């Protein structure tokens, strides 16, 4: 693509030579001729060999062979990188795959040792990579990629254009037990389902449990990192991001557009309202309603309060000394 | 089953029409004719279409076609649900399974691409699902279900009627190294075993490491959630529950009947005495003995103390103001 | 081996009968005739049936049939145990393995259902166990063991003499997204690589993400426990140890010889300087530079400060009482 075409594609303004041919992308330091790159922190800029640089509004572009001015350079770079790098696609059904006769598999690719049980539907252009196991009565949409060694239990639904990374388990039993008078635990029925909506991406080795009696749902466009635990009957809205190793207990509701850090712990029946941002390692008590805003700590509190409280704790040494001095004066 | 038969099965008292035929179960809201359901929080009850409702002692049953009165409705519901829903069983040995000639496999089901190494015994009515790898000299009892893509290392013992969810790894090396004078780490021998007793259930993508020189043991009836780490030489008693993402360091002892929340961290050589309850995200210093009672925080303390301490911290702002006022007066 | 030969091997001094034949190793309690053991805490010693005991300098050896005196008994024991126990090696390429014709596989063992994609090189004496998936253009050195059901994505490099435990995923996409004006997340390109240097050991079900545009690197001799998350573009130095369930965000640098506890959380762009020790469950804010020393808490602080602060918090109740008393006196 020419720099001018890229500018048009990302909705930016080209300057310099719009005819420059761009073949790939890289970061500022490693970019070479033919590459496009972007400037995230203009104040730290110290040169690049890229043929074209995406810069924020107001940055001087005279020094570059070609430049594209946009409001969000990183976003524009992500969009053009997706376009420049055509992801390798896979096709064919491997001879070692085990596919039930009564399934409806239209996928473009079923890898080695994959198994697909009965009554399952897999849509067109979907790829199921080596060693992934797909249970009975599963529905998977079109254009979805499931990486190797995942396990999709029975009755799960996965939408279109999703990406599930390796080793992720969807639809295992939720963790629900009832204790009897002898202290023995009996499983509460875990017979519900999981619904993953379109454009969801889930990292590696994460776990999304099935609903106990109802469903666990991950909303459209939500992105989940590695090693995340999503308990039974959790309902996550659209366009949320959830970082690595966060654990979400049963029946939690996370509304649209929330941002959840890593290693956060949710008690059960928490509701996080749309637009809330929760800092890493925060802990949320069962039943809590988290309003929009930025939150941190265990138990979580608004970020400002948390910071003020930390400052108070830091001043405890001085407070103690003052108390001592006052007592001396009074005596 | 008829409502009257169910009442007898769960040890409750039927009221209304004991002849009502029950075919399935559901929660209060989604239950329909032919379903049984249960009432957990009578104060929130607002109607159901179920044919039979399990209610706690003292609840008015006149409004239901049939009702069963018991002490613990949720427990009764769990027990009858297990009975009403006959879990799908699997049988046969898949042609793609690789089973060593000198193993003794009586399992009812060995799935696709499973491998079983030599000197291994698998009992009757046990199911080993697709892609699970079972090492050498492993013993697995009867009636156990191992879900897909698990790995059971050499010399591990698993009892009867256990459930191991997908992706769980049992018997990997413990994390023990000794540093030499040059700062290079050498592995301490990790040649022990893992013993999983009967009726243990383990969630998805958890890890139970082998003992270094002795054994790691999970006691009868203990339930472990997803993404839990159990280190080398840990000894967990009977009828414990351990929630998701908790990490248990080497040589920890957890006695019978303990309840451990999610994301709890145990230092090594901790002992948790029978009946202790540890709140989520708590952190326990190495060597600590945790007595019966409810504990929380890092480092853990009795819940009451932890709450009082949190309240004190919350009052720091006011304390500071009081100190200032006192100093003003003294001046 | 004879006790005298072992003494020579570990650089210690033999006493008693140096001709005693040692065939195996065990801990103090379970050791029997023919075993070697070691004494870690001399103050707790209460007898052993071992034929030879490795003891620290200054310990009385007259009571043992044979003894070896060294500076670090545990280290000497680890070294001799590695020598006494020849690990079972595997050989052959299983007939169910799927190996691309244009790969260069010299490995001593490729297990059942393993898949190896094109342009991949696997060195001599390396073992790839059942169900592990190796992508395109991967390079794996010699003498490395990859346990079952791992996934190595495309373009990853793994060195010599590494051990990767079961279920670990190397090279999945990093977690990087850019939000557009409508709140929709677009993936930032995740097209970099992972480089694992020689002698690295990684536990079970861990995740090492690929670099976004550059590389993620794990330095020589570093040991990583189970369920650890290593984000994109992280650079971990040589001879570090990282305990279970720790999460390392993107672009973190951990220099040589650091010790990181379990369940630690790193914000992105943190730098941990060589020789730092970070306690379990600590949390480190993005961009923080952690100097050498021992650190704990969230946000982390030097261990001494953290302990002093905790002591201050414990004294809050008394401080409150003192304040009250002072106010009474002033009134």
């Amino acid at each position: 693509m020419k720099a001018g075409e890229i500018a048009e594609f990302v909705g930016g303004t080209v300057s310099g030579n719009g005819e420059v041919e761009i073949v790939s992308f890289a970061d500022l330091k490693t970019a070479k001729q033919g590459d496009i790159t972007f400037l995230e922190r203009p104040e730290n800029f110290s040169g690049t060999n890229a043929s074209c640089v995406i810069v924020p509004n107001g940055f001087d572009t005279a020094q570059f062979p070609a430049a594209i001015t946009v409001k969000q350079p990183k976003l524009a770079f992500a969009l053009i990188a997706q376009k420049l790098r055509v992801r390798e696609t896979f096709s064919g059904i491997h001879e070692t795959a085990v596919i039930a006769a009564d399934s409806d598999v239209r996928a473009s690719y079923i890898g080695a040792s994959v198994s697909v049980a009965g009554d399952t539907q897999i849509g067109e252009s979907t790829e199921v990579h080596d060693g992934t196991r797909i249970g009975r009565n599963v529905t998977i949409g079109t254009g979805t990629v499931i990486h190797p060694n995942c396990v999709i239990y029975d009755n799960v639904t996965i939408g279109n254009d999703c990406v599930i990374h390796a080793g992720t388990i969807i639809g295992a039993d939720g963790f629900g037990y009832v204790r009897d008078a002898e202290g023995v635990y009996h499983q509460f029925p875990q017979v519900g389902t999981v619904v993953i909506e379109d454009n969801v991406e889930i990292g590696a080795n994460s776990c999304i449990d099935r609903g106990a009696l109802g469903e666990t749902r991950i909303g459209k466009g939500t992105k989940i990192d590695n090693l995340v635990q999503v308990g039974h009957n959790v309902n996550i809205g659209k366009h949320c991001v959830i970082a690595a190793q966060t654990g979400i207990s049963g029946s939690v509701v996370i509304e649209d557009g929330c941002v959840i850090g890593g290693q956060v712990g949710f008690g059960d029946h928490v509701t996080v309202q749309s637009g809330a941002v929760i800092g890493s390692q925060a802990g949320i008590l069962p039943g809590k309603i988290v309003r929009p805003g930025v939150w941190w700590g265990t138990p979580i509190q608004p970020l400002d309060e948390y910071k003020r409280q930390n400052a108070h704790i830091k001043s405890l040494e001085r407070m103690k000394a003052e108390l001592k001095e006052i007592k001396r004066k009074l005596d």
Side-chain angles (χ1 to χ4, degrees), chain A:
Chain A
M1 284 177 88
K2 292 178 178 173
E5 292 166 341
I6 293 174
E8 197 169 354
F9 176 73
V10 299
T13 311
V14 70
S15 49
N17 179 7
E19 298 297 307
V20 167
E21 202 73 38
I22 301 302
V23 294
S24 189
F25 55 89
D27 58 27
L28 273 173
K29 279 184 193 166
T30 63
K32 53 191 191 314
Q33 214 179 341
D35 285 347
I36 190 167
T37 189
F38 76 108
L39 204 56
E40 204 177 1
R41 296 191 195 80
E43 64 279 14
N44 294 335
F45 178 65
S46 62
T48 178
N49 293 320
S51 292
C52 182
V53 184
I54 307 177
V55 299
N57 292 332
F59 193 81
D60 174 26
T61 61
Q63 60 190 307
F64 304 121
I68 297 170
T69 300
V70 296
K71 201 171 160 190
Q72 286 187 269
K74 191 175 182 181
L75 175 61
F77 179 76
L79 295 172
I80 192 61
Q82 273 171 22
K83 196 168 177 72
L84 285 171
R85 178 170 182 264
V86 181
R87 188 184 159 276
E88 184 189 7
T89 55
F90 291 76
S91 63
I93 294 190
H94 197 275
E95 56 183 357
T96 60
V98 175
I99 301 178
D102 60 344
S103 60
D104 174 11
V105 175
R106 306 175 183 195
S108 56
Y109 179 65
I110 301 287
S113 303
V114 167
S115 37
V116 179
D119 287 325
T120 281
Q121 295 176 46
I122 305 179
E124 286 158 26
S125 306
T126 281
E127 299 175 7
V128 181
H129 285 257
D130 302 11
T132 284
R133 318 292 163 181
I134 298 181
R136 176 176 292 279
N137 190 33
V138 169
T139 304
I140 302 174
T142 62
T144 283
V145 177
I146 304 184
H147 285 279
N149 288 359
C150 290
V151 178
I152 316 296
Y153 279 65
D154 297 351
N155 307 315
V156 167
T157 299
I158 298 176
N160 304 318
D161 301 312
C162 293
V163 178
I164 316 284
H165 276 283
T168 280
I169 313 295
I170 300 180
D173 285 0
F175 195 66
Y177 293 92
V178 193
R179 199 166 182 254
D180 71 17
E182 278 77 43
V184 174
Y185 287 91
H186 302 270
Q187 192 185 39
F188 189 84
Q190 303 292 329
V191 301
T193 59
V194 179
V195 179
I196 311 272
E197 299 182 1
D198 298 345
N199 298 107
V200 168
E201 299 186 24
I202 303 178
N205 278 347
S206 284
C207 298
I208 318 287
D209 285 348
R210 64 178 52 251
L213 297 172
E215 69 179 29
T216 302
R217 180 174 286 264
I218 314 284
K220 183 175 176 173
T222 283
K223 314 300 183 189
I224 295 178
D225 202 351
N226 301 339
L227 294 163
V228 169
Q229 154 70 2
V230 178
H232 58 83
N233 300 84
V234 167
N235 191 324
I236 301 176
K238 301 185 201 312
H239 305 301
C240 295
V241 292
I242 301 175
Q245 296 178 320
T246 281
I248 305 175
S249 295
S251 303
V252 166
V253 174
I254 299 177
E255 296 179 357
D256 296 351
C258 290
V259 176
I260 316 289
Q263 296 183 335
V264 175
F266 289 76
D268 53 20
H269 290 91
V270 165
T271 296
V272 183
Q273 292 182 341
S274 188
V277 174
I278 300 181
S280 293
Q281 286 191 331
I284 311 168
L285 295 180
K288 167 93 180 169
I289 293 172
V290 182
R291 294 179 308 279
V294 184
W295 300 78
W296 205 26
T298 300
I300 58 158
Q301 42 189 317
L303 179 60
D304 287 347
E305 283 180 31
Y306 180 81
K307 282 180 170 172
R308 206 158 52 229
Q309 177 181 298
N310 266 9
H312 290 325
I313 290 175
K314 292 278 181 207
S315 65
L316 268 172
E317 188 141 13
R318 190 170 45 75
M319 285 173 69
K320 264 185 165 171
E322 287 178 4
L323 257 181
K324 204 175 169 185
E325 173 65 14
I326 289 168
K327 283 201 290 182
R328 198 190 52 77
K329 280 191 188 165
L330 283 179
D331 291 344

